Amino acid sequence: MNILVTGGAGFIGSNFVRHMLAAHSDYRIINLDKLTYAGNLENLTEIEKDPRYAFEHGDICDRSRVQMCVVRYEIDAIVHFAAESHVDRSIMGAAEFVRTNAVGTQVLLDVAREMKIRRFVQVSTDEVYGSLGTEGAFTETTPLHPNSPYSASKASADMLALAYHHTFGFPVVITRCSNNYGPYQFPEKLIPLMIANALADKPLPVYGDGMNVRDWLHVSDHCRAIDRVLHDGTIGEVYNIGGNNEKPNLEIIRLILRHLNKPESLITFVKDRPGHDRRYAIDATHIRKTLGWTPSYTFERGIAETIDWYVEHAEWWKRIVSGEYMKYYRALYENR
Ligand code: NAD
Ligand code: DAU
C-alpha cells in the first residue's frame, strides 16, 4: 500500500511514519509537510534513507502539489495529520488555523475524491467536543462544542470530511484522540515545556489554578490506534482514542519535578489561558470493542521514559528553544 502522510515531520506524524515503516514491511510512506515552525526533519533522521520512505516539501493548501504527490506515488490512502496544533497560538491569531486546518483539509478531500483514494483518515482531536464538568466522558455522539479557534478549525475539518462521506460516499474515517505525550513533541506543549524549563531551572508557568484535567495517551499508542482505524475502521465512522488516564496539570508538573530532582519552588502560577477548557476525558469503548485496540503503555512507564528521552536528547530541543521560538515564548509568557 502507498500512503500519503500529511504533517509527517511534526510530533505525532513523525512517530506515525516510524511506526508504519516498522509495522508494515511492504508499505511505502510519502510525507508531505510544509515544515512550519513545528515541522522538523530531524525527527525522522533514523528512517530518512529507507527506500520505502520519501519526503515532499509542500503545503496541503496547494492543490497542484497535493495532486502531483498522489499521482507520482500512486497513493492508495491518506492519513491527514498536517495542522496548526497549538491552542495558545490560535488565541494569538486564528488565520493560519483556518487556512491549514479547514481550507487545507477541503483541498485534500477534493483531490482525494477526484483521484479515487481508497481511504482517508482525518486525524482529529477530543477538543472538538468542548469542555467537561467533573463527571462523564466524551463519546462519539457527544455534540461538537469547540471552544478555541484551534478546536473550531478542527471541528470544521471534521464536518467537511463527514459531509463528503454523506454527499459523495467518500471513504473517510475520523479519529479523535486525547492529549498525546512522548518523544519529539514540540516544546511549546505542557509536558516538554515543563521538562525543558525544569532542566534549565527556569520557572514553570502553570495556567490558572493548575487543576485543569487532560486525559494523557502515549503517542505510540495513538499511532497503533490510527493504524487499526486505517485498515479496519468502518467508513463514515468516528473513533475516539484515549487511555483512561486523567490527570490535573499540577500532578504532572510535580511528577516531572520529582523525576528530575528539582524543587517545587520552580512552579509559578500565571494568568489563565482565555477560554481554558476545564476537563477532557475520552470514552474509547467503540475502538476497544470493534477494533480490539488497547493502549500498551501505563502512564507511569510512559512519562518516565519520556522525561528520560528529553534529558538524553537535549541537543534536539535546545536547537528549537533558541531563536524564533524565544520570540513566541516572550510574547506569551513575559508579564503574564
Ligand atoms: P505538530 O504541530 O507537532 O505538527 C504539525 C505538522 O504539520 C508539522 O510538521 C507542520 O510542519 C505540518 N504542517 C502545518 N501546516 C501545514 C500545511 N499547511 N501543509 C503541510 N504541512 C503542514 O502537531 P501534532 O501535535 O503532531 O498533531 C498532529 C495532528 O494530530 C493534528 O492534526 C492535531 O490536531 C492532532 N492531534 C494532536 C494531539 C496532541 O496531543 N498533540 C491530540 C489529538 C489530535
Ligand atoms: O486534547 C488534544 C489536544 O491536546 C490536541 O488537539 C492539541 O493539538 C494539543 O496541543 C493538546 O491541547 P492542550 O491545550 O490540552 O495542550 P497543552 O499542552 O497546550 O496544554 C495542556 C494543559 O496544560 C492545558 O490545561 C493548559 C496547561 N498549560 C499549558 C502550557 C503550554 C499550562 O498550564 N502552562 C503552559 O505553559
Side-chain angles (χ1 to χ4, degrees):
M1 175 143 62
N2 296 332
I3 301 173
L4 181 68
V5 171
T6 70
F11 164 46
I12 307 174
S14 62
N15 278 283
F16 183 74
V17 170
R18 264 193 307 280
H19 162 84
M20 290 302 277
L21 291 171
H24 306 281
S25 58
D26 52 342
Y27 284 14
R28 203 162 170 218
I29 307 292
I30 315 309
N31 172 13
L32 173 65
D33 198 296
K34 186 182 169 187
L35 299 181
T36 66
Y37 78 92
N40 186 351
L41 289 178
E42 281 184 40
N43 300 1
L44 291 161
T45 39
E46 289 154 48
I47 56 89
E48 68 188 0
K49 293 202 170 65
D50 191 317
R52 298 168 301 147
Y53 167 77
F55 173 67
E56 288 287 341
H57 188 198
D59 188 332
I60 56 163
C61 300
D62 180 347
R63 190 189 167 85
S64 56
R65 191 93 186 93
V66 177
Q67 225 161 7
M68 181 287 286
C69 286
V70 171
V71 173
R72 178 168 172 201
Y73 296 101
E74 299 174 357
I75 295 298
D76 303 297
I78 297 180
V79 183
H80 175 33
F81 293 93
E84 287 296 332
S85 69
H86 193 38
V87 173
D88 291 317
R89 288 189 193 250
S90 79
I91 295 167
M92 292 163 106
E96 272 308 297
F97 287 74
V98 174
R99 201 186 80 89
T100 287
N101 302 1
V103 178
T105 303
Q106 169 254 311
V107 171
L108 280 176
L109 288 166
D110 277 342
V111 174
R113 190 168 84 83
E114 244 172 60
M115 302 277 161
K116 304 202 170 9
I117 291 295
R118 286 195 281 151
R119 197 163 268 240
F120 187 106
V121 182
Q122 159 66 8
V123 179
S124 187
T125 166
D126 62 354
E127 295 200 12
V128 297
Y129 297 121
S131 185
L132 291 164
T134 48
E135 299 292 312
F138 302 128
T139 69
E140 287 82 359
T141 55
T142 301
L144 302 197
H145 197 294
N147 287 321
S148 71
Y150 161 69
S151 54
S153 66
K154 291 294 290 186
S156 314
D158 287 17
M159 300 313 278
L160 279 166
L162 288 174
Y164 275 54
H165 170 69
H166 182 82
T167 311
F168 308 116
F170 181 74
V172 74
V173 262
I174 296 184
T175 60
R176 294 191 181 133
C177 189
S178 60
N179 286 60
N180 283 214
Y181 68 98
Y184 299 106
Q185 185 164 31
F186 194 84
E188 66 192 351
K189 306 281 164 53
L190 178 78
I191 289 179
L193 185 145
M194 297 300 166
I195 298 171
N197 281 20
L199 286 170
D201 296 309
K202 278 170 55 178
L204 309 194
V206 180
Y207 298 165
D209 63 0
M211 294 310 287
N212 296 65
V213 171
R214 296 294 182 263
D215 189 351
W216 295 93
L217 185 73
H218 194 276
V219 64
S220 70
D221 284 325
H222 186 190
C223 293
R224 287 175 43 251
I226 294 172
D227 187 350
R228 293 291 297 115
V229 172
L230 168 67
H231 288 95
D232 294 315
T234 303
I235 298 300
E237 282 199 3
V238 174
Y239 292 86
N240 280 356
I241 304 169
N244 282 332
N245 188 47
E246 290 177 53
K247 305 267 177 219
N249 296 335
L250 260 184
E251 188 179 323
I252 295 198
I253 292 163
R254 290 202 170 108
L255 195 156
I256 291 170
L257 288 170
R258 266 201 311 281
H259 191 93
L260 293 173
N261 206 12
K262 296 285 183 180
E264 289 207 359
S265 55
L266 288 175
I267 293 175
T268 310
F269 290 93
V270 299
K271 195 161 156 245
D272 209 354
R273 172 187 278 174
H276 197 175
D277 284 341
R278 189 63 174 171
R279 175 174 162 261
Y280 302 145
I282 275 279
D283 179 340
T285 309
H286 182 47
I287 189 170
R288 284 173 183 262
K289 281 212 169 131
T290 59
L291 300 181
W293 170 86
T294 48
S296 64
Y297 269 88
T298 61
F299 185 69
E300 289 64 31
R301 176 182 149 218
I303 192 75
E305 279 186 23
T306 300
I307 300 170
D308 292 342
W309 187 91
Y310 282 88
V311 171
E312 284 153 21
H313 293 78
E315 78 296 344
W316 176 85
W317 58 263
K318 277 189 178 159
R319 270 196 287 280
I320 297 171
V321 301
S322 59
E324 265 310 299
Y325 177 77
M326 281 321 291
K327 274 197 207 153
Y328 155 81
Y329 193 90
R330 277 194 292 272
L332 188 66
Y333 293 101
E334 229 169 50
N335 308 317
R336 186 165 183 151

